[in-house]
Structures are given as structure tokens and as C-alpha cells.
């Protein structure tokens, strides 16, 4: 584990700088970079009076298009956190949806120069929302199946303080990205959507970020978050279990567990809270914060993301996040 400096020490009481010393190497702290490898989708959201059954056609309301996809959402969040250079490595179609996502990424300050434009349509999520708020979702991955880690992408990953990935692109892409990392690149995986992880990926991870359901799936057991985290620590040095409005649990192998409380906000739409949390966590780790401090900032950003509709549109600015953290 040469990438973590110094070795993880026990995490003790709740606040304070002596909590987890989980700091990336100095060599990358001058202009820390975050490389986000993952998906980009356009979410087409249609309100429906009820969900149709097989073979049925129903009329819905007006369609709304949102830029989304876990990779792109997390890249936007990392860039908005400020103080890091964020590169998104993904694939978009040569279509209007691709332009929408590229525009959203650029507006947040994400470097999109290594995004491939391919002949397959941009990834699309078709989302029908009933009056009770229940969603049915069809995802057409499209261009996300064609993310490539070429030489330029590999170089950028090697230069990154943090490589952040999720599971909406083929595992082979993640394998190539992980192989491109440098010795001091921290690998952070948000294991969503849930799927079994191959051995090589477990072995490459520095920090695993999962919600309670994903934690249970990967641990192969039920139980309280602390139990799940303990089980996952057998396979990775550090785990963050996000718990929605209950906050998040930070656990490291050589230390203990620290509960990072949620910030109290007026919730409008929880879409994108998890992605915002992951992107900001990666940015704060890249800047040299320890894991608990990074989780506290990520929690503030995740909370603020629930106060507005959408995913990328709801990612807060660094100033708003700092305001909430210092008001605590
Ligand atoms: P996911 O969407 O991946 O399931 P969570 O719902 O656990 O992720 O949210 C990620 C983080 O965002 C939480 O750990 C918490 O810090 C913050 N968050 C989410 N929902 C709320 C909420 N209702 N109030 C305050 N913070 C929230």
C-alpha cells in the first residue's frame, strides 16, 4: 500500500485532525488531478399518470432532459469542489445528447478533451415517474459501451492523484484505467450499480464507496452498516458506507469506524446526492485531506445536492459547501 502515506492509523473519537491520516503523496499536491472514468447518460424524464403494463400505450406529460450518468455526475461534482483539475474519461455519441452532456461538463469546469465521440448513440435513461414518485427506468448504455483507455487517457490517469470510477462502464475499461495508474494514484471506486467485483479490482482499490444496499450485496451478508463495513474491510483498506439522511460511515482497516453525520437540509430531490458525495470525496482526497475530513465535506455537498432537482444541475458550488460546513 505505498500509495497511502503514512499508514492508516486508528480513527478515534468524532472530530479532530488526528482522525484518519489518509493522505495522498506530496508529489501530486501542487496541482492535484482527479481522473473520473465512467458513464454519461441523458436522462429523459416523463411524468406518467401510472406505469403502463406490457403492450399498453399511455400518454405522459412533457419530457424533460437532464444530463446524467454516474461518471459525468461525479466529474461535475469533483470539478465544482474546486482546487483540482478534473478530467472526465468517457464516451458520447455524435448527437444532441452528447452535446448536452459535454456542455454540462464544460460548464462545471471539467476537462472533456479526452472524451471520445463515437458513432453509437449517447447513453440514455428513459425514466417514467408516477404521481407517487415511483420510477421505472430503462437504460440504453449506447456509447458507454465504447469507452476507451488509449495512450492519452492512460497518461492522464497516471498523472492523477485520484482515479474515481463507478460500475456503469464495462469492467474491462476499469481494468485498463486501473492498470494505467501510477504508484501514488489513489483508486476510489463507487461500486454502483451493484455487481460482484473481480479479484484484481478488489486488490487495486484504496477506497470503496457504497450505499447500504451495495455494501450488503458486496459483503454477501445483511446487518448493520458497521458489520457490513467490517466485512468489506477484509478486502479493501478503506470503506465509506453512505446512509442517505443518516450520514455516512467511514471505516479503515487499521483503524476504527467514524460516523460522519448528515447535514440537515430541506430535501427536494435526492437524485445525485450519492454521485455528488463521491465526486467531492475524490476531490478532497486529491487535495490532501484525510478520509474523514473529505467525508465531512462530501456530506455537506451531498446534502446540498438534495435541495434542488436533477443531478448535475443540483451539484452545489464550493462556496455553498464551505458555508454549510462552517455553519455546523
Ligand atoms: P445513494 O444515492 O448512492 O444511495 P445516499 O443516499 O447514501 O447515496 O447519499 C449520499 C450522501 O449524501 C449521504 O451519505 C449523505 O451525506 C448525503 N445525503 C443524502 N441524502 C441526504 C438527506 N436527505 N439529508 C442530508 N444529507 C443527505
Amino acid at each position: 500500500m505505498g500509495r497511502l502515506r503514512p499508514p492508516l492509523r486508528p480513527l478515534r473519537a468524532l472530530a479532530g485532525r488526528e482522525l484518519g491520516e489518509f493522505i495522498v503523496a506530496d508529489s501530486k499536491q501542487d496541482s492535484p488531478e482527479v481522473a473520473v472514468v465512467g458513464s454519461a447518460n441523458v436522462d429523459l424524464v416523463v411524468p406518467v399518470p401510472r406505469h403502463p403494463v406490457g403492450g399498453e400505450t399511455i400518454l405522459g406529460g412533457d419530457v424533460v432532459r437532464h444530463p446524467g450518468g454516474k461518471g459525468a455526475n461525479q466529474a461535475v461534482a469533483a470539478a465544482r469542489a474546486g482546487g483540482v483539475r478534473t478530467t472526465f474519461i468517457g464516451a458520447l455519441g455524435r448527437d444532441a445528447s452528447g452535446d448536452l452532456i459535454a456542455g454540462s461538463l464544460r460548464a462545471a469546469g471539467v476537462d472533456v478533451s479526452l472524451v471520445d465521440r463515437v458513432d453509437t448513440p449517447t447513453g440514455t435513461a428513459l425514466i417514467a415517474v408516477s404521481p407517487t414518485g415511483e420510477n421505472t427506468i430503462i437504460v440504453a448504455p449506447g456509447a458507454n459501451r465504447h469507452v476507451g483507455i488509449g495512450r492519452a487517457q492512460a497518461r492522464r490517469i497516471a498523472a492523477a492523484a485520484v482515479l474515481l470510477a463507478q460500475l456503469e462502464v464495462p469492467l474491462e475499461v476499469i481494468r485498463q484505467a486501473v492498470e494505467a495508474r501510477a504508484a501514488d494514484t489513489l483508486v476510489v471506486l463507487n461500486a454502483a450499480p451493484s455487481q460482484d467485483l473481480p479479484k484484481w479490482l478488489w486488490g487495486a482499490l484504496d477506497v470503496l464507496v457504497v450505499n447500504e444496499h451495495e455494501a450488503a450485496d458486496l459483503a454477501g451478508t445483511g446487518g448493520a452498516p458497521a458489520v457490513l463495513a467490517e466485512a468489506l474491510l477484509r478486502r479493501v483498506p478503506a470503506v465509506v458506507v453512505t446512509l442517505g439522511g443518516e450520514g455516512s460511515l467511514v471505516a479503515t482497516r487499521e483503524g476504527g469506524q467514524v460516523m460522519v453525520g448528515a447535514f440537515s437540509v430541506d430535501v427536494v430531490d435526492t437524485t445525485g446526492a450519492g454521485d455528488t458525495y463521491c465526486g467531492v470525496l475524490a476531490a478532497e482526497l486529491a487535495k490532501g485531506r484525510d478520509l474523514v475530513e473529505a467525508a465531512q465535506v462530501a456530506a455537506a455537498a451531498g446534502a446540498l445536492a438534495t435541495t434542488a432537482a436533477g443531478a448535475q444541475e443540483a451539484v452545489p458550488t464550493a462556496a455553498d459547501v464551505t458555508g454549510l460546513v462552517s455553519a455546523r
Side-chain angles (χ1 to χ4, degrees):
M1 291 310 313
R3 293 188 294 284
L4 302 179
R5 178 194 63 80
L8 300 178
R9 289 195 321 208
L11 301 175
R12 290 190 270 116
L14 198 56
R17 298 204 160 247
E18 302 168 280
L19 288 170
E21 296 291 327
F22 200 88
I23 296 174
V24 294
D26 282 336
S27 61
K28 293 190 173 169
Q29 290 196 0
D30 292 341
S31 64
E33 286 202 34
V34 176
V36 183
V37 175
S39 62
N41 289 324
V42 160
D43 295 342
L44 297 179
V45 185
V46 191
V48 289
R50 63 183 172 77
H51 293 292
V53 296
E56 189 186 17
T57 300
I58 60 165
L59 291 181
D62 291 341
V63 69
V64 181
R65 295 196 316 161
H66 292 287
K70 289 191 156 295
N73 292 348
Q74 294 184 14
V76 164
R80 289 239 180 100
V84 290
R85 177 173 168 193
T86 303
T87 301
F88 178 59
I89 296 171
L92 300 171
R94 299 178 210 279
D95 49 24
S97 294
D99 294 342
L100 177 76
I101 294 168
S104 174
L105 289 164
R106 266 194 219 103
V110 177
D111 182 339
V112 293
S113 61
L114 299 180
V115 172
D116 282 332
R117 300 298 289 257
V118 298
D119 286 329
T120 311
T122 296
T124 305
L126 305 169
I127 306 173
V129 189
S130 76
T132 61
E134 186 188 45
N135 292 344
T136 56
I137 305 178
I138 299 170
V139 176
N144 293 309
R145 290 208 177 96
H146 301 285
V147 179
I149 307 293
R151 274 201 183 161
Q153 287 85 355
R155 265 200 303 273
R156 193 64 67 85
I157 290 167
V162 174
L163 165 64
L164 173 62
Q166 321 75 31
L167 299 175
E168 285 187 337
V169 293
L171 277 176
E172 175 57 20
V173 174
I174 297 174
R175 192 182 62 74
Q176 289 174 18
V178 159
E179 280 177 0
R181 78 194 187 279
D184 58 353
T185 303
L186 211 59
V187 179
V188 180
L189 178 75
N190 173 216
S194 208
Q195 64 168 273
D196 285 342
L197 304 184
K199 219 170 171 185
W200 58 261
L201 184 50
W202 280 112
L205 296 185
D206 294 300
V207 183
L208 174 70
V209 186
V210 279
N211 66 21
E212 217 172 342
H213 307 290
E214 292 144 7
D217 288 348
L218 286 179
T221 171
V227 174
L228 300 176
E230 209 50 51
L232 293 171
L233 282 181
R234 284 186 216 122
R235 311 206 65 175
V236 284
V239 178
V240 179
V241 184
T242 66
L243 304 164
E246 302 294 309
S248 51
L249 182 66
V250 176
T252 61
R253 192 179 275 170
E254 296 171 25
Q257 301 193 355
V258 176
M259 192 57 206
V260 174
F263 289 81
S264 178
V265 289
D266 292 328
V267 178
V268 172
D269 171 16
T270 59
T271 311
D275 287 340
T276 299
Y277 185 103
C278 292
V280 172
L281 187 84
E284 298 304 318
L285 287 174
K287 285 186 270 185
R289 285 193 197 266
D290 72 42
L291 188 58
V292 172
E293 287 178 334
Q296 280 163 347
V297 181
L304 289 171
T306 70
T307 63
Q312 290 170 32
E313 299 101 317
V315 174
T317 62
D320 288 342
V321 173
T322 307
L324 186 59
V325 171
S326 49
R328 178 171 255 186

